[in-house]
Amino acid sequence: MSSTTELQSAPAPNFGFSVTHQKVELDIDLLARRLKGKTEITISPHSKELRIVRLNCRQCDIKRVTANGRACPNVVYEEPYSKATLPWEAGVYQHHMLRKKIEPQLKSPPEEELIINLPKSIKIDDLSPFSIEATALAGPRSSVGLKDENLGELQSVRTAIEPDRRCTPVTIVIEFAIPQIRDGMHFVGWEEEDLRYPHAYSKSFSIPGGACCIFPCVDDLSARCTWEISIKCPKTIGDAFSGPQPSSVNSLGGLPNGVHKDTLDPTTDPFRSNMNAEDLALELAVICTGDLTDEVDDHVVQGKKTSTFFCGTPLSAQQIGFSIGPFEHVDLAEFREGVEDDKLGQNAVPLHGFCLPGRVEEVRNTCLLMAKAIDFFTLEYGSYPFSNYKLCFVDDVFPETIHTGFLTICSNNLLFPADVIEPLERVSRQMVHALASQWMGVSVIPKERTDTWVVVGITYFMTDAFLRKLFGRNDYGFRQKQAADRVVELDVGRPSIHDTGAFVGLDPFEAEFLALKAPLVLSILDRRFTKTGSASGLSRIISRVFLNAKVGDLGNGAISTAYFVKTCEKLGHAKLDSFFAQWVHGAGCPRFEIGQRFNKKKNVVEISIVQRQAEPPERDLEKDTFMRDVKEEMNNVYAGAVQPVFTGPMTICIHEADGSPYEHLIEIKEAVTRVEILYNTKYKRLKRSKRQKERIATAGGAEYNADGNDDVLLYCLGDVLQSEEEMQQWRLAEWPKDTEDEMNQEAYEWIRVDSNFEWICKLSMNMPGYMYLSQLQQDKDVVAQLESVQYMAAQNEHALIATILMRTLMDTRYFHGIRTTAAAALAKHAKEGDMDWLGLFQLEKAFQHFFCYNDSPIPRPNGFSDRAAYFVKCAIPRAIAKVRDHRGRSPIRARMFLLDKLKFNDNSDNEFSDGHYLATLMEALSEAMASKPSPAQDMDGDFSFDENDGDDIRFHNSCLEELDRYRRTDEWLPSYHNILSRTALDCTRILSTAGVIDNNPSHLIQYTRDGTADELRLCAFSNLFDMGVSKNDAVLRWFLFAMGTDPSSYFRSYAFRLFGRVLAFIAIGQQPNSSRMVQQQNDGLIIEQEASTEIRKADLERRTTVIGALKALKAEVQDNETLKRGLWTAITSPTLSFPEIKELLDLCQQLYDPESSMVVKLRYPRFWRCKKVGKGKLHFSHTDRVRTTPMLKRLPPSLPPPPALGLQTNLPSPSVPKIKSEGSGGSEAMPPPPQGRKPLFKPPRRPSDGEQGSARPSPMTETRPATPTADGEKPKLKIKLKIGPPKSALAGGK
């Protein structure tokens, strides 16, 4: 794989004009999902030669276009969604033909759909810089990009023009209509079967092509202007369902909000059968970007109102959002403390929350911290860029937060009541990040896509800064360390964060990785600034960026990497070229191997630091990342250049024997660094000698007096369970004598490398275990404590390590994250044999000590007021579920423990919900049960089964009944987000794939029906496919149909990810029941079969390379007709947007070879039926019988010589139609036929001598001889043919 990254982002085109102001008027019919609108776009041409204006516009029907009041007759527009299908019966093999039709909309950025040719009568002249118009263009309403004095480069591509070259503005007015809204807006609750409160909102415009689905605009993030938005909609829900009413109707004496009594009758409309009069009277509120300037009732149509909003801050069309619904208002500013209100004064920002009826308390609980957060950001980083901030919670939104100016549209999934404590940290981080995005992301935008890391990094840096103040330094440090470890694990063979910005939107992982690493890079930069003497660190730089954007020094509000680097260097007074080259433009993370020893002769500590870079490993493909690998392979996303050596300062802290930490700053410049650090302490081991004396005195029943001693002892954690009695009860171990002697010989307690957390790296040090113990007990930094616990968890099982972990778990002074990590590590020490299930015993005893009655395994009633205790209570069952014996099975003792805790759970006296705790117990019990086959299978195949251990069928059934009991309970009393039902489905999948229960997918299929909650429905589909049901054509057809037609963008987004996992199962060759097969191999006879070299090579290739996996996938699905039809039906569905269509077309491109073919359907010819109508008329019509074989051409039979004139002939000629002659004279007419018979045809005349040998005329064209009339004219012929049932066919033509 190449070491370069090919960027796919095309530069933004320069259209030759800038948008200075746009006015939008929308009249939305919520029930019919259509709208009428008008937009007025004021543009500033860049030159006098501008004659063509290109705009983005989708799904609109353009009615009229004018420029400066003059009609524009030459307008080119073709609705792009009408091209998103092929006009014949195509299939997946014609994917390239469909892609070619919609290729302009699949580009990034997409091509403009609306092309307006300005009339020749419009003259564009240069504008005087002193005119009123020029002053208006130079003001805040202008989106003109100027040159930055520091960087000397244009800050905007699309809107950059010379400041001395301005032209007269042009106002373009477009009237349009959308007969059926397909994209850009989402409607909830307007269908008959949808019982939710009706509302609608604009969808995510994070990528180009979303905003132009609602109104014509320049759909680009850099095209920013001021806005005036007017939205007309019904006043109430009843008005929306009843339709517009004439203005002459008077509503006096009716219900509130002008609703008529007759419109509130639920029986009159099936759509309102589930709503009562009170619901129909709810007033619809419009929440939109900008300040509400006016709201008036419509004077033309009663029951409608118009809300007008103005935004004086330049924003792009992608940053405009609105929502319409029966929202209730919550004043979130009431949570602002009085002291903060006085401190802010006029800078206090109004804060509003909007939610659907009945969810006010959830909004109050979820947004409790928002007032404190916005005040923190205002004081720390500068004033809020807008006049107010609004949060609106709606259904089905994806992603869960949509960032627009003034407004964040949030998912109702983020709301949680006060009695649910589990999602507090996760949701708080999302909400604070949404607020921070108003500063960086909406007000300030990235200049190029590769500058996205700056916006993402600063936004999450601000979020973490506030959460550190809210949750404390321990929580902040613990999460930072976990994030750094995750980055080290993921950042192997990846592009740099600078290059990753070009691929944001390719796969969700790209944005997730950027959100993980970018704030960490800024965090280590902030620590380096703080160490060099900058008191405010990076906060001062961020506030300067916002200030420059506010005063206009940051052109168009677009920030680039070069601008940010220069600002950091200017305010940080340091050169940062190497830092940004390594961490921003470079890829990967360093790995350090550190050696240390004390040189007694020199009285120094010798430290060697060896730096290595991780090579991209030959990893196996995984089902969860397979589609990401495929997309990156298709788009040439390659690994970035690996840094040979990461350089920079590193802090080494040596905790010497006197208890004092001595910090030493070294500089890493080469791959191998060796330093000698002077030792400072005169006496050794004073601290530990005092501890030993104290322990001896305690054992003898005396009290140790430290007066008069020179011993030094720091306060240390983990000093619980120290007495001999407690050690025996808890089966704790002491250090061996030889190890204590070795400890006494050490010159220092422990050494910490990178003690200030200035590196994103992996450290490996040859430090003894007792030094890690000292670091765990005496270092106050939670990062140091986590490093020690991670070291203990990596060691082999040992009683001494189990003792250390146990004391860490039992000491409530530790941060709860350290305690839960220690509990998880204890499961490794629960082994039979010499360990005698020590870890299991200690986990059980810890749970009994904290949460059970004295000397009883029965748990006390739940009480979750202590959050740390709650996390520990959930961590211990998770750890016990992982305990295994030598056969890989969970012991009966562990399963009985989990069953008892689940069965005897009591939440009657708890003010908090126990849904997540019960879900933890259910999942733990299922995981433990899955390690062992069912008793019947076990007795048949394992002769070591002991009937006395209680592991019988009755216990097995008791576990299954307990799991099913909570599932049934959740159907009657739903838990938060149906957590119990979702966990029950997960348990079914775990037990089924392990062979513990029968694989019966019918139980899960019922949860996939329409109307089920999206999270529960997706969980059911996921478990079905993990159980191998994707091979069932009916299930696969149903899933593809749901994926392509479900109106919820939330459901479709996660369904796309789930479909990728289904294909990964097929491509990689993983079978859902692989765990069961491995179990059978471990427990029974292993059958070995030698495979050919080609088969083994192909199997290895499909498991390790994307090309091999795609090749195998292509061969597997080639004959799956259900997949072909379902996939093409989803592609051509009128529900999907262009990004979703593109994703499916990319998939077809990998699975099916293109075939440029067209299926033409021709109807088989049908047999004719002839019916005599009368009056000389015949009726010809088709029969139901079709002709499937070609018919030879039939020539008319040869006619015998005609008889003399006046005689008749009875020659049959069924193929000749009836010809009726009408002449003016009757003397030359043929005599009438005899009575009783009618001649079929007129007798032909005898050919003359001149006609002998000439071709006989066809009977179809045979005519009467030319008979002179009284006027000398020939007689006219009238031919009547009647074919088919329509009577119109009987009419003849002259």
Side-chain angles (χ1 to χ4, degrees):
M1 184 174 290
S2 173
S3 61
T4 61
T5 303
E6 300 182 10
L7 303 182
Q8 302 297 318
S9 59
N14 187 353
F15 287 160
F17 64 89
S18 302
V19 180
T20 59
H21 181 71
Q22 183 164 357
K23 181 179 179 180
V24 179
E25 298 177 3
L26 301 177
D27 184 358
I28 303 177
D29 187 341
L30 297 172
L31 185 61
R33 300 189 181 189
R34 60 173 177 257
L35 65 81
K36 296 183 297 182
K38 183 176 73 172
T39 182
E40 180 181 308
I41 306 176
T42 304
I43 64 173
S44 174
H46 293 179
S47 66
K48 297 188 297 183
E49 290 75 21
L50 178 68
R51 306 311 305 171
I52 298 178
V53 176
R54 300 175 181 269
L55 299 175
N56 299 101
C57 182
R58 294 181 181 179
Q59 72 181 6
C60 295
D61 184 9
I62 303 299
K63 301 297 184 181
R64 186 168 179 264
V65 180
T66 62
N68 286 350
R70 298 177 176 88
C72 299
N74 193 2
V75 176
V76 180
Y77 174 70
E78 184 179 2
E79 204 283 299
Y81 275 112
S82 62
K83 301 185 294 182
T85 184
L86 296 178
W88 67 87
E89 187 176 344
V92 291
Y93 294 104
Q94 287 74 49
H95 57 82
H96 63 295
M97 304 176 74
L98 179 59
R99 178 188 290 273
K100 186 177 180 180
K101 290 186 63 178
I102 60 176
E103 185 66 29
Q105 280 67 44
L106 302 183
K107 295 180 180 179
S108 181
E111 294 183 4
E112 296 74 27
E113 298 84 3
L114 179 59
I115 302 175
I116 303 173
N117 292 273
L118 298 179
K120 296 182 179 180
S121 58
I122 295 180
K123 303 298 182 182
I124 301 176
D125 299 323
D126 289 334
L127 193 64
S128 172
F130 303 102
S131 63
I132 300 177
E133 291 83 356
T135 305
L137 289 176
R141 288 176 47 165
S142 175
S143 61
V144 175
L146 306 180
K147 277 195 173 184
D148 184 79
E149 298 179 356
N150 296 328
L151 302 181
E153 62 179 357
L154 290 175
Q155 292 295 315
S156 175
V157 176
R158 180 169 291 192
T159 60
I161 63 174
E162 297 82 6
D164 57 345
R165 181 66 182 274
R166 301 185 184 277
C167 301
T168 54
V170 177
T171 302
I172 299 176
V173 179
I174 304 173
E175 298 179 7
F176 61 95
I178 303 179
Q180 187 67 32
I181 298 177
R182 170 175 178 167
D183 196 9
M185 283 189 67
H186 184 64
F187 297 82
V188 180
W190 300 99
E191 295 84 5
E192 181 179 1
E193 64 276 3
D194 197 343
L195 304 181
R196 294 173 292 182
Y197 281 101
H199 59 283
Y201 56 89
S202 59
K203 293 170 63 176
S204 174
F205 301 153
S206 58
I207 57 176
C212 62
C213 291
I214 302 180
F215 51 84
C217 60
V218 178
D219 199 348
D220 188 82
L221 189 62
S222 61
R224 316 181 85 188
C225 65
T226 55
W227 294 81
E228 184 178 351
I229 304 171
S230 297
I231 298 178
K232 181 189 293 185
C233 68
K235 294 177 60 178
T236 65
I237 296 179
D239 293 331
F241 281 118
S242 61
Q245 300 291 335
S247 59
S248 59
V249 177
N250 194 345
S251 62
L252 294 178
L255 294 174
N257 298 324
V259 179
H260 298 275
K261 291 183 178 180
D262 55 351
T263 64
L264 298 182
D265 184 7
T267 61
T268 60
D269 193 337
F271 288 98
R272 299 181 303 223
S273 59
N274 59 344
M275 306 185 72
N276 54 33
E278 184 179 354
D279 291 335
L280 294 174
L282 291 175
E283 183 174 357
L284 295 177
V286 180
I287 316 300
C288 182
T289 297
D291 295 306
L292 179 63
T293 58
D294 192 15
E295 186 173 82
V296 296
D297 293 342
D298 195 293
H299 299 292
V300 179
V301 180
Q302 187 183 13
K304 282 198 171 187
K305 65 178 181 179
T306 302
S307 302
T308 304
F309 300 84
F310 179 77
C311 176
T313 304
L315 295 174
S316 66
Q318 300 176 12
Q319 297 170 334
I320 302 299
F322 62 87
S323 57
I324 306 171
F327 300 116
E328 297 182 356
H329 175 256
V330 181
D331 185 10
L332 300 178
E334 66 183 13
F335 297 108
R336 181 177 286 124
E337 299 179 0
V339 178
E340 297 176 350
D341 204 357
D342 297 338
K343 185 186 300 184
L344 292 170
Q346 296 181 351
N347 291 327
V349 181
L351 212 59
H352 308 281
F354 299 92
C355 63
L356 296 174
R359 314 203 71 167
V360 171
E361 293 303 322
E362 294 182 10
V363 172
R364 292 179 182 273
N365 183 71
T366 305
C367 303
L368 183 65
L369 50 83
M370 297 304 291
K372 185 181 290 293
I374 200 170
D375 294 344
F376 173 83
F377 289 154
T378 302
L379 295 175
E380 188 75 12
Y381 303 108
S383 61
Y384 180 67
F386 306 108
S387 59
N388 61 76
Y389 181 54
K390 294 169 279 192
L391 291 160
C392 186
F393 292 88
V394 295
D395 288 326
D396 294 347
V397 64
F398 183 85
E400 291 186 326
T401 53
I402 298 178
H403 310 299
T404 65
F406 293 79
L407 169 68
T408 300
I409 301 177
C410 306
S411 171
N412 276 331
N413 293 335
L414 295 176
L415 296 177
F416 62 97
D419 61 344
V420 177
I421 61 176
E422 185 76 19
L424 176 62
E425 286 85 357
R426 175 183 61 85
V427 173
S428 297
R429 180 176 171 84
Q430 286 183 268
M431 299 303 298
V432 176
H433 174 261
L435 175 60
S437 298
Q438 295 292 310
W439 274 270
M440 179 63 69
V442 177
S443 177
V444 179
I445 60 175
K447 180 184 177 183
E448 302 290 345
R449 293 183 63 184
T450 52
D451 302 321
T452 307
W453 78 270
V454 182
V455 174
V456 174
I458 292 179
T459 304
Y460 278 102
F461 179 85
M462 296 169 60
T463 302
D464 293 336
F466 172 72
L467 294 180
R468 176 174 55 188
K469 178 182 179 182
L470 183 68
F471 294 133
R473 299 181 62 89
N474 283 342
D475 180 87
Y476 172 78
F478 185 81
R479 296 184 184 278
Q480 288 283 98
K481 174 59 178 174
Q482 287 183 321
D485 293 343
R486 182 63 176 162
V487 169
V488 172
E489 178 185 353
L490 294 177
D491 198 5
V492 179
R494 301 288 313 162
S496 65
I497 58 175
H498 179 268
D499 296 338
T500 301
F503 304 105
V504 172
L506 179 65
D507 187 79
F509 174 80
E510 318 298 331
E512 294 169 1
F513 178 76
L514 206 59
L516 190 66
K517 185 176 180 180
L520 279 177
V521 172
L522 296 185
S523 296
I524 63 176
L525 177 63
D526 176 63
R527 293 186 182 93
R528 295 190 182 185
F529 278 145
T530 305
K531 178 174 290 187
T532 57
S534 180
S536 57
L538 194 62
S539 298
R540 179 188 175 197
I541 297 172
I542 296 175
S543 61
R544 177 60 65 87
V545 170
F546 294 149
L547 179 61
N548 293 344
K550 187 174 182 179
V551 299
D553 292 343
L554 194 62
N556 201 32
I559 188 172
S560 65
T561 301
Y563 179 89
F564 181 70
V565 173
K566 182 173 283 293
T567 305
C568 291
E569 291 179 341
K570 181 178 180 181
L571 299 181
H573 308 289
K575 296 295 292 182
L576 300 172
D577 294 341
S578 61
F579 177 87
F580 285 97
Q582 294 171 163
W583 297 105
V584 175
H585 297 280
C589 296
R591 286 162 169 79
F592 294 107
E593 297 177 1
I594 303 170
Q596 53 81 32
R597 76 182 188 93
F598 178 67
N599 191 326
K600 295 182 180 180
K601 184 176 181 180
K602 296 182 178 181
N603 198 32
V604 296
V605 179
E606 298 176 346
I607 298 178
S608 64
I609 303 175
V610 180
Q611 182 179 164
R612 304 184 188 277
Q613 308 303 328
E615 295 294 334
E618 289 293 337
R619 64 179 180 88
D620 290 345
L621 298 175
E622 300 177 0
K623 63 178 182 179
D624 294 328
T625 60
F626 172 72
M627 288 309 300
R628 184 243 299 177
D629 295 334
V630 171
K631 294 175 184 178
E632 291 179 348
E633 185 73 22
M634 292 173 56
N635 293 273
N636 301 321
V637 182
Y638 296 146
V642 179
Q643 296 293 315
V645 177
F646 282 82
T647 62
M650 178 178 287
T651 303
I652 299 178
C653 184
I654 301 178
H655 292 256
E656 299 187 2
D658 62 349
S660 301
Y662 293 88
E663 288 190 350
H664 306 273
L665 184 64
I666 65 173
E667 191 74 22
I668 303 295
K669 297 181 179 180
E670 300 176 352
V672 180
T673 303
R674 291 183 173 87
V675 294
E676 294 182 350
I677 300 176
L678 184 64
Y679 190 74
N680 298 281
T681 304
K682 182 178 181 181
Y683 303 103
K684 302 178 183 179
R685 312 311 303 159
L686 296 179
K687 179 172 54 176
R688 188 165 281 114
S689 64
K690 176 179 179 180
R691 183 177 178 183
Q692 292 171 351
K693 295 176 183 178
E694 187 179 33
R695 181 180 302 166
I696 294 174
T698 304
E703 182 178 354
Y704 176 69
N705 187 5
D707 296 340
N709 292 280
D710 296 331
D711 300 340
V712 179
L713 178 63
L714 293 179
Y715 176 80
C716 64
L717 301 172
D719 55 353
V720 297
L721 306 177
Q722 295 286 343
S723 66
E724 295 294 337
E725 181 181 359
E726 290 174 331
M727 293 183 64
Q728 291 179 2
Q729 291 178 355
W730 292 80
R731 294 171 56 183
L732 304 180
E734 272 290 356
W735 290 99
K737 182 66 169 58
D738 55 345
T739 306
E740 287 197 353
D741 294 340
E742 184 179 351
M743 293 165 59
N744 293 330
Q745 297 300 320
E746 293 291 348
Y748 42 83
E749 290 290 330
W750 74 93
I751 298 178
R752 274 200 69 196
V753 178
D754 189 25
S755 58
N756 290 338
F757 202 3
E758 303 170 72
W759 292 72
I760 307 173
C761 62
K762 181 179 181 180
L763 297 171
S764 300
M765 186 183 301
N766 65 340
M767 197 165 61
Y770 49 78
M771 289 190 177
Y772 279 104
L773 173 60
S774 298
Q775 176 176 310
L776 173 63
Q777 294 181 338
Q778 300 174 36
D779 202 320
K780 298 181 180 179
D781 189 359
V782 71
V783 177
Q785 298 170 5
L786 182 58
E787 290 175 350
S788 298
V789 175
Q790 290 174 342
Y791 171 83
M792 301 293 178
Q795 305 305 309
N796 296 328
E797 58 271 11
H798 194 278
L800 190 57
I801 297 180
T803 299
I804 298 172
L805 295 174
M806 187 62 197
R807 284 173 172 161
T808 304
L809 173 61
M810 297 300 296
D811 195 341
T812 57
R813 294 170 295 178
Y814 279 110
F815 178 65
H816 65 80
I818 303 298
R819 299 174 64 193
T820 55
T821 306
L826 265 175
K828 186 176 182 179
H829 302 272
K831 300 292 184 181
E832 52 188 341
D834 295 339
M835 294 297 294
D836 192 19
W837 304 109
L838 177 59
L840 178 58
F841 167 79
Q842 292 176 341
L843 286 171
E844 291 175 340
K845 192 168 183 60
F847 193 93
Q848 193 274 335
H849 174 79
F850 286 122
F851 311 112
C852 296
Y853 292 105
N854 295 332
D855 301 328
S856 173
I858 304 300
R860 296 193 301 267
N862 295 329
F864 297 157
S865 57
D866 186 349
R867 288 181 57 84
Y870 167 77
F871 289 122
V872 172
K873 190 173 186 178
C874 293
I876 293 178
R878 290 195 194 101
I880 292 179
K882 299 183 181 299
V883 175
R884 298 292 184 269
D885 59 12
H886 69 282
R887 297 177 297 177
R889 299 180 176 182
S890 175
I892 180 61
R893 174 178 165 187
R895 281 174 281 152
M896 291 185 66
F897 172 87
L898 296 172
L899 178 61
D900 290 341
K901 301 306 174 284
L902 188 62
K903 182 181 297 185
F904 298 109
N905 177 71
D906 183 6
N907 204 57
S908 58
D909 296 335
N910 189 14
E911 60 178 329
F912 297 99
S913 171
D914 63 344
H916 287 85
Y917 172 65
L918 287 173
T920 301
L921 291 176
M922 294 169 63
E923 190 172 0
L925 179 59
S926 300
E927 185 178 351
M929 292 177 62
S931 66
K932 185 180 185 302
S934 62
Q937 296 175 351
D938 194 40
M939 293 180 67
D940 293 337
D942 188 1
F943 297 99
S944 62
F945 177 74
D946 185 3
E947 296 183 358
N948 297 324
D949 64 357
D951 192 9
D952 53 6
I953 297 178
R954 184 172 56 187
F955 172 78
H956 176 80
N957 293 335
S958 178
C959 295
L960 297 180
E961 291 173 1
E962 198 65 25
L963 294 174
D964 193 61
R965 179 172 71 89
Y966 283 103
R967 181 192 64 82
R968 296 194 308 268
T969 302
D970 195 53
E971 293 180 354
W972 292 97
L973 298 173
S975 58
Y976 177 74
H977 287 187
N978 300 108
I979 181 66
L980 295 182
S981 295
R982 289 190 287 126
T983 305
L985 299 184
D986 293 338
C987 295
T988 301
R989 183 253 309 166
I990 293 173
L991 298 176
S992 176
T993 54
V996 178
I997 60 176
D998 294 335
N999 192 340
N1000 185 14
S1002 61
H1003 174 66
L1004 279 72
I1005 291 179
Q1006 62 178 332
Y1007 291 96
T1008 65
R1009 295 176 299 182
D1010 285 333
T1012 308
D1014 286 344
E1015 289 181 319
L1016 185 57
R1017 194 179 180 197
L1018 289 167
C1019 179
F1021 272 123
S1022 177
N1023 287 301
L1024 278 172
F1025 292 142
D1026 287 345
M1027 293 165 61
V1029 187
S1030 59
K1031 298 179 181 179
N1032 186 297
D1033 290 343
V1035 176
L1036 181 60
R1037 187 185 306 112
W1038 166 234
F1039 172 75
L1040 292 175
F1041 175 80
M1043 183 181 71
T1045 61
D1046 195 282
S1048 172
S1049 57
Y1050 174 86
F1051 176 87
R1052 294 200 308 270
S1053 300
Y1054 283 99
F1056 272 70
R1057 300 188 189 184
L1058 184 55
F1059 185 54
R1061 293 181 60 215
V1062 174
L1063 297 179
F1065 271 126
I1066 304 174
I1068 303 173
Q1070 295 180 355
Q1071 299 297 327
N1073 57 349
S1074 60
S1075 59
R1076 181 177 179 180
M1077 296 172 60
V1078 172
Q1079 184 68 39
Q1080 292 176 354
Q1081 290 182 358
N1082 293 336
D1083 299 341
L1085 180 64
I1086 300 177
I1087 300 176
E1088 296 182 357
Q1089 181 178 358
E1090 184 177 357
S1092 64
T1093 305
E1094 291 77 10
I1095 296 177
R1096 291 197 303 267
K1097 182 179 179 181
D1099 183 68
L1100 178 64
E1101 186 178 3
R1102 75 185 298 182
R1103 287 187 289 105
T1104 57
T1105 64
V1106 176
I1107 302 299
L1110 286 176
K1111 182 179 179 181
L1113 176 61
K1114 188 175 181 179
E1116 291 280 350
V1117 304
Q1118 198 67 31
D1119 299 328
N1120 193 329
E1121 296 297 330
T1122 301
L1123 178 62
K1124 294 178 185 178
R1125 290 192 297 267
L1127 196 56
W1128 189 252
T1129 302
I1131 291 175
T1132 56
S1133 169
T1135 305
L1136 300 189
S1137 60
F1138 277 125
E1140 294 170 325
I1141 295 176
K1142 180 180 183 300
E1143 187 169 351
L1144 293 181
L1145 288 177
D1146 291 341
L1147 189 59
C1148 290
Q1149 181 181 351
Q1150 299 299 321
L1151 298 182
Y1152 305 104
D1153 296 328
E1155 295 181 4
S1156 298
S1157 61
M1158 178 186 296
V1159 179
V1160 180
K1161 281 190 173 183
L1162 298 177
R1163 293 182 178 180
Y1164 280 122
R1166 296 181 179 272
F1167 283 85
W1168 287 92
R1169 177 192 297 116
C1170 179
K1171 182 180 179 181
K1172 185 173 66 174
V1173 180
K1175 296 183 179 180
K1177 299 179 180 179
L1178 299 177
H1179 180 196
F1180 290 87
S1181 62
H1182 280 118
T1183 65
D1184 294 336
R1185 183 184 174 192
V1186 296
R1187 190 186 302 276
T1188 59
T1189 57
M1191 186 177 178
L1192 297 178
K1193 185 175 180 181
R1194 300 179 62 181
L1195 296 176
S1198 300
L1199 296 177
L1205 189 64
L1207 300 180
Q1208 67 178 21
T1209 179
N1210 296 325
L1211 296 177
S1213 182
S1215 61
V1216 180
K1218 176 178 182 291
I1219 302 178
K1220 181 179 180 181
S1221 175
E1222 295 181 358
S1224 58
S1227 60
E1228 298 294 328
M1230 295 181 68
Q1235 294 295 330
R1237 298 192 62 181
K1238 295 182 180 180
L1240 291 177
F1241 303 100
K1242 305 290 184 181
R1245 69 181 179 86
R1246 185 181 182 90
S1248 63
D1249 296 339
E1251 294 175 345
Q1252 296 291 337
S1254 63
R1256 181 182 296 273
S1258 172
M1260 293 290 294
T1261 59
E1262 184 178 351
T1263 61
R1264 288 283 309 274
T1267 304
T1269 61
D1271 299 331
E1273 297 179 355
K1274 295 181 180 180
K1276 299 180 180 179
L1277 297 179
K1278 185 176 181 181
I1279 303 175
K1280 292 184 178 181
L1281 298 177
K1282 184 176 181 181
I1283 303 176
K1287 294 184 178 180
S1288 60
L1290 297 177
K1294 293 183 180 181

